[in-house]
Amino acid sequence: MYNLYDMIFKRKSFRRFDDSLSLSSEELQKIQQHLKILVPLLDDVKIKYRIVKRQETSCKRGEYCLLVYSEEKENCLINIGYTLEQLDLWLASQNIGVCWYGVGKTDKLQYDGLDYVIMLAFGKARPEEFRKDYTKAKRKELEIIWSGEHITNVTNVVGFAPSACNSQPWRVVHENQLIRIFRSTEVKSIFPKERLLLYNCIDMGIFLYFMELALRQEQYRFERILSEKESSNEKEIEIAQYNVYKV
Ligand SMILES: Cc1cc2nc3c(=O)[nH]c(=O)nc-3n(C[C@H](O)[C@H](O)[C@H](O)COP(=O)(O)O)c2cc1C
C-alpha cells in the first residue's frame, strides 16, 4: 500500500527517461481510471484530459504527455494544480516519472469546448531513479516562505512542492489556529508576466494540496476558505486560509 504523503519525498521532476522502458496498456488504463478519482478543489470547474504520445506535442521527454483542458473560471488554475498534483504523487507510487511541462506546446488548443492549459510529461522509470534524499532538493529557506508559528512536519515539508522554474511563489503566515497562504508577486523569472502568472497560480494549487496532505498526516483537521480577490496587496495575493485544529 502506498500513501500519497510518502510520495512527497519520492517524487521529483523527471527530465531524463530511459527509452528502453515503456508503459504497458494496463498501466495506461490504470492512469485513465485514476484520472477519474482525483479530487478537485472546485467541483464546478470542468477539466478534461487527453493522453497522447509525446511526439504529438513539442515535448522532448517522456513517453506520453497528459494534456490538461479546463473551463476558464475564477481559480481554475489553482484547481488544476491541486487536482493534477494528486496524479503526480500517485504516479510516483507506480514508478512512473513525471514532469509538469509548462513550456510544452500542442496544436490542439481546444477539447470538448475547454481550453488547453498545461501538460505533464510522463514515462516508466526505475524505482532507483526517484528522489533518494528530499533534503537535498533545492528550496528556499523556511524564513522566506513561512512566518509565525511553525508546525513540525508541516512547515518543513510543504515547501518541497514542485513549482515552475522552482519559483516557489507561496508564502505562509501562521498565527494561533489560522494559516494564511499567499502568492508572492515578486517572483523573478525569465517568463513574460502573463505566463508566469499562469504557472504560479498552478503552483499555488499544488502547494495547497501539499499543505492538506501534511496537515492530515499530522492529525490536523482543517477548514479551507478560498480568498476573495479583494484581500490582497501588491506584493502578496491571499489565496486561501485554513482554520486548523489538532484532533
Ligand atoms: C506549473 C509547472 C510548470 C513547470 N514547467 C516546467 C518546464 O516547462 N520544464 C521543466 O523542465 N520543468 C518544469 N517544471 C518543473 C519544475 O522546474 C520543478 O518542479 C522544480 O524545479 C522543482 O524540482 P522538483 O520537481 O524536482 O522537486 C514545472 C513545474 C510546475 C509546477
Side-chain angles (χ1 to χ4, degrees):
M1 257 314 266
Y2 68 90
N3 172 351
L4 277 195
Y5 174 83
D6 296 336
M7 296 304 122
I8 289 180
F9 310 106
K10 177 177 176 181
R11 69 154 300 283
K12 68 169 192 181
S13 293
F14 268 72
R15 303 223 166 68
R16 251 179 264 147
F17 289 84
D18 183 341
D19 289 339
S20 68
L21 302 176
S22 63
L23 288 163
S24 65
S25 52
E26 288 76 27
E27 281 173 310
L28 277 172
Q29 251 174 23
K30 220 170 153 191
I31 296 171
Q32 295 280 14
Q33 290 306 319
H34 200 79
L35 285 169
K36 295 184 189 151
I37 60 160
L38 303 178
V39 181
L41 183 71
L42 305 167
D43 289 324
D44 62 339
V45 181
K46 288 189 196 121
I47 304 192
K48 293 211 168 182
Y49 311 105
R50 287 174 66 227
I51 293 179
V52 299
K53 281 270 183 196
R54 176 254 283 165
Q55 290 80 357
E56 289 181 40
T57 73
S58 67
C59 186
K60 300 277 182 288
R61 57 182 66 137
E63 191 182 1
Y64 293 94
C65 287
L66 176 88
L67 308 183
V68 183
Y69 295 82
S70 171
E71 195 176 357
E72 201 183 330
K73 264 195 180 171
E74 191 173 354
N75 291 328
C76 61
L77 297 172
I78 298 177
N79 187 49
I80 288 174
Y82 183 94
T83 310
L84 271 303
E85 188 50 30
Q86 296 164 45
L87 184 77
D88 177 31
L89 293 166
W90 177 76
L91 287 171
S93 77
Q94 306 296 303
N95 292 318
I96 297 171
V98 190
C99 188
W100 282 90
Y101 201 54
V103 299
K105 292 204 165 51
T106 169
D107 291 337
K108 197 167 164 65
L109 295 175
Q110 248 95 44
Y111 178 57
D112 265 3
L114 306 180
D115 296 328
Y116 170 74
V117 181
I118 195 161
M119 65 178 73
L120 289 86
F122 62 94
K124 192 71 192 165
R126 297 180 208 284
E128 61 272 20
E129 290 176 278
F130 286 82
R131 189 158 272 155
K132 290 182 191 73
D133 181 355
Y134 74 99
T135 60
K136 296 219 168 83
K138 267 199 182 169
R139 291 299 190 267
K140 290 189 197 298
E141 299 291 324
L142 286 187
E143 302 78 73
I144 298 175
I145 68 157
W146 193 290
S147 322
E149 302 152 44
H150 285 194
I151 308 179
T152 311
N153 295 335
V154 176
T155 307
N156 53 323
V157 164
V158 287
F160 289 100
S163 58
C165 280
N166 210 12
S167 55
Q168 304 160 71
W170 39 77
R171 302 290 179 268
V172 180
V173 180
H174 176 215
E175 268 160 21
N176 302 319
Q177 293 189 318
L178 181 68
I179 298 179
R180 298 178 70 197
I181 300 185
F182 298 86
R183 174 175 64 79
S184 168
T185 58
E186 296 192 314
V187 165
K188 291 194 183 68
S189 156
I190 47 164
F191 294 113
K193 233 176 154 190
E194 286 283 294
R195 235 24 240 165
L196 182 68
L197 179 64
L198 181 142
Y199 295 149
N200 281 170
C201 288
I202 295 175
D203 297 338
M204 292 309 303
I206 296 174
F207 186 74
L208 295 189
Y209 191 70
F210 265 53
M211 178 65 78
E212 294 181 13
L213 269 185
L215 286 172
R216 282 202 196 96
Q217 179 73 15
E218 288 305 301
Q219 269 94 49
Y220 279 89
R221 276 221 196 108
F222 56 81
E223 179 198 10
R224 173 206 321 127
I225 304 153
L226 292 180
S227 308
E228 300 288 330
K229 283 231 169 68
E230 294 79 69
S231 47
S232 309
N233 65 38
E234 279 171 17
K235 290 187 181 166
E236 290 180 348
I237 314 277
E238 192 182 73
I239 300 294
Q241 296 190 353
Y242 287 87
N243 288 306
V244 296
Y245 320 88
K246 188 84 178 173
V247 181

